[in-house]
Amino acid sequence: MHLSEKRQPLLNRVRRIKGQLEAVERALLEDADCATTLQRVAAVRGAVAGLLDEIVENHLREHVAHPGLSDADRTRGAEELVAVIRRYSR
Amino acid sequence: MHLSEKRQPLLNRVRRIKGQLEAVERALLEDADCATTLQRVAAVRGAVAGLLDEIVENHLREHVAHPGLSDADRTRGAEELVAVIRRYSR
Amino acid sequence: MHLSEKRQPLLNRVRRIKGQLEAVERALLEDADCATTLQRVAAVRGAVAGLLDEIVENHLREHVAHPGLSDADRTRGAEELVAVIRRYSR
Amino acid sequence: MHLSEKRQPLLNRVRRIKGQLEAVERALLEDADCATTLQRVAAVRGAVAGLLDEIVENHLREHVAHPGLSDADRTRGAEELVAVIRRYSR
């Protein structure tokens, strides 16, 4: 639901990252300068981290904090976030 | 409030990290092997990240998802988390 | 040079990540469950971090530590890594 | 060796982080506002990440790239970095 509202900017971000990954692919195929590849992959990492932050923020606002959710919904939304934090944070 | 309940384990974690930092300090003062210092600092980073995760989880459960909070409290709790994510995530 | 040797496994990794990103795209287009999208993006982040680590390791071994490089090459290779660490770390 | 040269600024950083950790400890002991604790811990994480970057850079310059190291020293220095990246990255 909140994704259908905010879907377009997220899709745009995902597609931009796909374009960045394709630039990494080309760098590897063309045996480009290693420093170039390194910088491109580092830029992808930054972009994916930004995307994840945005998705986490949406989830927090819409599935945990949103007025009118049931207590059970909120608890579930919070535990979904906790699972992601635990598995992927460091 | 939730911190007073969960305060002791968090305090223990903080103190353990202080002990780890003191080991880094000693390594620097004694001009220890550089690889040792490197590993100790990396271990501190892991421990601080784990502490932050735990605090974020507590905050999420107690200040955003907790049944019985007002809508305003929840919104505030969520925005506090968003601020931390934005400023310090990568 | 070291990329042409190690190019194929890196390319495979990049393409797998592209596939994962396409799964995120589909989740957004089909308005999938938000928790699913969240987990998929988090998995992409983990995979990109792993790819970056591998590229950093290759760069370190081939462009900084490799026997037979000139001092100038080594210094340049090291500064390229430092630039990536500074811009994208934490 | 490089640490004895650069030891003082690193020691200063470590001691500043210890001070920040003590502020977290006080916040927990005084049952301070949870958002305050959260921000302080997040700041500690940022500071430790910055310290680790600095130590990694020193190690890279002095134990991998430095002119006049033997090939064996360089290889060892690089593998020490790789071990830290593998264990603690993402």
Side-chain angles (χ1 to χ4, degrees), chain B residues 28-46:
Chain B
L28 290 170
L29 282 171
E30 295 160 6
D31 229 352
D33 181 51
C34 184
T36 303
T37 312
L38 184 60
Q39 281 163 18
R40 286 185 187 172
V41 175
V44 171
R45 197 185 72 155

Side-chain angles (χ1 to χ4, degrees), chain D residues 24-35:
Chain D
V24 172
E25 207 179 344
R26 277 195 308 279
L28 289 170
L29 283 171
E30 295 161 5
D31 229 353
D33 180 51
C34 183

Side-chain angles (χ1 to χ4, degrees), chain D residues 22-88:
Chain D
E22 280 156 7
V24 172
E25 207 179 344
R26 277 195 308 279
L28 289 170
L29 283 171
E30 295 161 5
D31 229 353
D33 180 51
C34 183
T36 302
T37 313
L38 184 61
Q39 280 163 19
R40 285 185 187 172
V41 175
V44 171
R45 197 185 72 156
V48 172
L51 173 66
L52 183 57
D53 288 349
E54 195 172 333
I55 304 245
V56 163
E57 288 180 27
N58 285 349
H59 190 87
L60 180 62
R61 289 199 178 106
E62 301 300 323
H63 293 288
V64 193
H66 204 68
L69 292 174
S70 71
D71 288 349
D73 281 346
R74 267 187 233 295
T75 300
R76 190 160 52 87
E79 294 313 311
E80 287 162 352
L81 272 186
V82 165
V84 163
I85 289 168
R86 290 226 180 121
R87 214 166 328 143
Y88 298 101

Side-chain angles (χ1 to χ4, degrees), chain C:
Chain C
M1 180 246 290
H2 72 277
L3 276 175
S4 50
E5 277 164 38
K6 314 206 168 167
R7 205 167 44 171
Q8 199 53 54
L10 288 173
L11 266 176
N12 293 347
R13 269 181 109 135
V14 170
R15 285 166 181 165
R16 228 175 301 133
I17 294 170
K18 242 174 64 182
Q20 289 178 278
L21 261 186
E22 281 155 7
V24 171
E25 208 179 343
R26 278 195 308 279
L28 289 170
L29 283 170
E30 296 161 5
D31 228 353
D33 180 50
C34 184
T36 302
T37 313
L38 184 61
Q39 279 162 20
R40 285 185 188 173
V41 175
V44 171
R45 197 185 73 156
V48 172
L51 173 66
L52 183 56
D53 287 350
E54 195 172 333
I55 304 246
V56 163
E57 287 179 28
N58 285 350
H59 190 87
L60 180 62
R61 290 196 178 109
E62 300 301 322
H63 294 287
V64 193
H66 205 67
L69 293 174
S70 71
D71 288 350
D73 281 347
R74 267 187 231 296
T75 300
R76 190 159 53 87
E79 294 313 310
E80 287 163 353
L81 273 185
V82 165
V84 163
I85 289 168
R86 289 226 179 120
R87 215 167 327 143
Y88 297 102
S89 90
R90 178 150 3 114

